[in-house]
Amino acid sequence: MKSLAKYMLLILGGTMVLSSCDDFLDKQPLDSVTPNTFFYTENDIAAYAVKHYDFSTHSGWGLGVWASDNGTDNQIAVSYDNKWIPGQWRTVESYSTESNDPWYFNQIRELNYALEIVIPRYENNEISGSNAGHYIGELLFLRAKAYFDKLQTLGDFPIVKTTLPDEMEALTEASKRQPRNKVARFIIEDLDNAINNYLSNTPPGGKNRITKNAALLLKSRVALFEASWLKYHSNTALVPGGPGWPGKAEDVAGLDLNAEITYFLTQAKDAAKQVIANAPLSENTAAACTDEIVLADEEPYKMNNPYFAQFSADNMENYSEILLWRSYNLEEYNIVHSAPFYLRVGGNSGFTRQFVETFLCRDGKPIYNSPQYKGDGSLLDVRKNRDLRLQLFMMRPDELLTPEPLKDGDGNPYNDTLAVAPNILDITEKKCVTGYQMRKGLSNHWYRDGNTAIEGSPVYRSTEAYLNYIEASALETDGRSIDADAEKYWGDLRERAGLPRDYRVTVSSTELDKESDFAVYSHGEKVTPLMYCIRRERRCELMEEGFRMNDLRRWRALDQVKGKKFWPEGVNLWESELKDMYKDSKTQKSLLISDESSNANVSSYTATGKYLSPYRIVKVNNLMYESGYSWCEAHYLTPISIKHFRITSSGDDLSTSTIYQNPGWPLEADQAPKF
């Protein structure tokens, strides 16, 4: 029916979904339903579940999910993130809206409410519809995801499985934080329940809805996150029972940290292996190309290449690697976004030089040990003989963007091409910040009006399962070796990227002292070359997809940045052909201003060297100019706002609260962490 079709298109739109599809609900909006009139049909549960789909997807103006790695060492925006400057991230009394508050319980409360009602009714055969069980599985998945969001952000967190009465005593008692490993186990318990008892891989709506494969992938993600966090943050206040941990001793009585790590690694591998068996990799038809530069503007390497197209197709349903995605529709429902428009112009983002240099050459060796590397004297040279992921997913100068010629105002045809020089001088929202322009997610459509795109938005893909398994296998041996399955999975990923299947080629030629990657380190010490190469693989494969910051946090890779000065850089501007490409068309005068004044538009060669340094362009009123990226241990977790301590404490003494602040963060508003 038409209403169901509309509902499926809106499926990942969050709360707004229900306000715009009342015809599907037919009678009452969800904010006024009661258990006496609702939750008796599969459609009721499906609608309630979709209201709580809070996945990151393209929406409105901007790059959409392709901006998710901004503010890391992979890609940056014009404005820097204050979290990189100790002292600038501070506690708050309260957040402007409850939905912005990391401690906000509404999602969990509403899912608990539904689950308490629908599971008994389902078991008593009181719910009509053959898919009711699947939608219950979605509710369990969504509660698990909500808890995982809390785990990543806050660590220890209350475990609440039921709808609580509106009574201060009960609410205060339930707010007590549980050790993070128990939270992770609870998440896996919910996912196992959904996987084993409810979810299908073929629900109505296909992969626009949560599936069993998606739940298995989330389980693998959760388990790997917690295993690596417990391993690398052990003997700190950020792990239950560690020195300075603020929880109660009785909550960790009998805790065997090594046993916990082993448990989570086993869970990560088992779930990942099931995903891999069910969802093979999409083919890269450019993998056989042996030219120095893959001709990414030719159609075989664009939308006819499944590996490339799966990130930007209008319909992603038939790509084996895509496990969950969001669809859009312009003509009937005006559900659109603008991600490809901003990718075309730069979109206030760009890959960093440090990230680009991470990609291997086609012989499987790092750039500093490969005769195939051509240097960075031009943007074309940077791409030559490199890992196909760099060649496919980073723009090339003068690239043909639309296969068919466009027409100007007089009807004359012209080719739609990227500029020869990167768009580093434009207004903020259009600027290619580093000169290295992103391309993953760009189709060959032309969206001249900006916010009219209907490209799908990928949410989960099975490649992550490959990476999770490989890393978990290496963690089991402290980075000394991987098992046979991991070797096969890694070989599959490398072969698709145009690299030798044998990872040993890369490991043996990797010199950690020559790598600028934060992930060379965990807790201030170098990892093994094998472990680093696995992390490199993950970094390159998941580019633009929002994994980077959480990976660095769980690896405890940012200890190495403490007290250091690191500036994300871009293209070689001053010792390449680029410096002569920015000229006024009439006067031929250079448009580059590098005097560090408020009018400057590029960094100074004298002050910062040959590479464009976006955060060192203007010196005055720019904290990042002198400090660069730095870190402090407290920043691994987010502080809890002070109002929650006021609510749960006795009188004015906030230390009597039933909850505790995250390590290093004070019980006072507008204060920086202590360490």
Side-chain angles (χ1 to χ4, degrees), residues 632-643:
C632 64
E633 187 175 22
H635 285 192
Y636 281 114
L637 292 175
T638 297
I640 300 170
S641 61
I642 306 305
K643 81 167 188 178

Side-chain angles (χ1 to χ4, degrees), residues 107-125:
Q107 176 91 334
I108 292 170
R109 179 184 63 82
E110 292 183 358
L111 291 166
N112 284 343
Y113 170 78
L115 287 165
E116 279 189 296
I117 296 170
V118 299
I119 289 179
R121 286 183 182 174
Y122 181 74
E123 292 175 347
N124 291 329
N125 297 315

Side-chain angles (χ1 to χ4, degrees), residues 78-80 82 85 88 567 596-597 613-628:
V78 169
S79 298
Y80 56 82
N82 275 343
I85 305 179
Q88 295 303 301
W567 289 277
E596 300 181 317
S597 71
S613 189
Y615 295 151
R616 305 188 80 189
I617 293 174
V618 176
K619 191 171 186 179
V620 178
N621 296 324
N622 177 11
L623 294 176
M624 185 63 78
Y625 186 96
E626 294 293 345
S627 71

Side-chain angles (χ1 to χ4, degrees), residues 53-78:
Y53 272 43
D54 63 345
F55 303 101
S56 295
T57 59
H58 303 319
S59 179
W61 295 93
L63 281 171
V65 299
W66 310 127
S68 299
D69 276 327
N70 277 353
T72 69
D73 56 338
N74 276 14
Q75 65 189 63
I76 60 174
V78 169

Side-chain angles (χ1 to χ4, degrees), residues 87-296:
Q88 295 303 301
W89 188 9
R90 295 170 175 262
T91 53
V92 298
E93 175 66 33
S94 62
Y95 287 84
S96 57
T97 63
E98 286 186 329
S99 59
N100 290 332
D101 189 339
W103 195 260
Y104 188 49
F105 269 87
N106 194 57
Q107 176 91 334
I108 292 170
R109 179 184 63 82
E110 292 183 358
L111 291 166
N112 284 343
Y113 170 78
L115 287 165
E116 279 189 296
I117 296 170
V118 299
I119 289 179
R121 286 183 182 174
Y122 181 74
E123 292 175 347
N124 291 329
N125 297 315
E126 297 175 16
I127 301 175
S128 64
S130 60
N131 294 301
H134 175 84
Y135 299 129
I136 292 173
E138 289 192 15
L139 296 176
L140 288 165
F141 174 103
L142 290 165
R143 184 169 70 176
K145 180 183 177 298
Y147 266 98
F148 185 46
D149 292 342
K150 306 299 185 185
L151 181 73
Q152 290 177 297
T153 304
L154 296 166
D156 302 344
F157 196 73
I159 298 175
V160 181
K161 305 178 183 180
T162 60
T163 306
L164 299 172
D166 191 14
E167 300 171 0
M168 180 57 69
E169 183 177 352
L171 293 172
T172 300
E173 178 64 23
S175 69
K176 291 181 179 179
R177 301 176 73 178
Q178 297 296 317
R180 59 175 301 127
N181 63 299
K182 292 183 179 180
V183 179
R185 280 180 172 266
F186 170 63
I187 294 169
I188 290 175
E189 177 185 309
D190 256 2
L191 289 171
D192 279 342
N193 190 7
I195 291 164
N196 296 329
N197 299 313
Y198 296 105
L199 287 175
S200 163
N201 274 327
T202 56
K207 292 187 287 189
N208 261 196
R209 293 217 71 127
I210 294 165
T211 61
K212 180 184 289 190
N213 283 336
L216 285 165
L217 184 62
L218 180 59
K219 177 182 175 182
S220 176
R221 182 186 298 181
V222 172
L224 179 62
F225 186 93
E226 191 59 16
S228 51
W229 186 285
L230 295 178
K231 177 178 177 63
Y232 292 124
H233 289 276
S234 63
N235 296 314
T236 75
L238 304 181
V239 164
W245 179 65
K248 294 183 178 180
E250 57 262 34
D251 290 336
V252 291
L255 173 64
D256 182 336
L257 201 60
N258 289 329
E260 288 294 278
I261 293 170
T262 298
Y263 163 77
F264 287 118
L265 290 177
T266 300
Q267 296 296 313
K269 289 177 64 178
D270 177 68
K273 197 167 189 176
Q274 293 183 64
V275 174
I276 294 167
N278 295 335
L281 298 176
S282 297
E283 181 188 6
N284 179 11
T285 54
C289 179
T290 57
D291 296 339
E292 282 190 332
I293 304 175
V294 173
L295 299 179

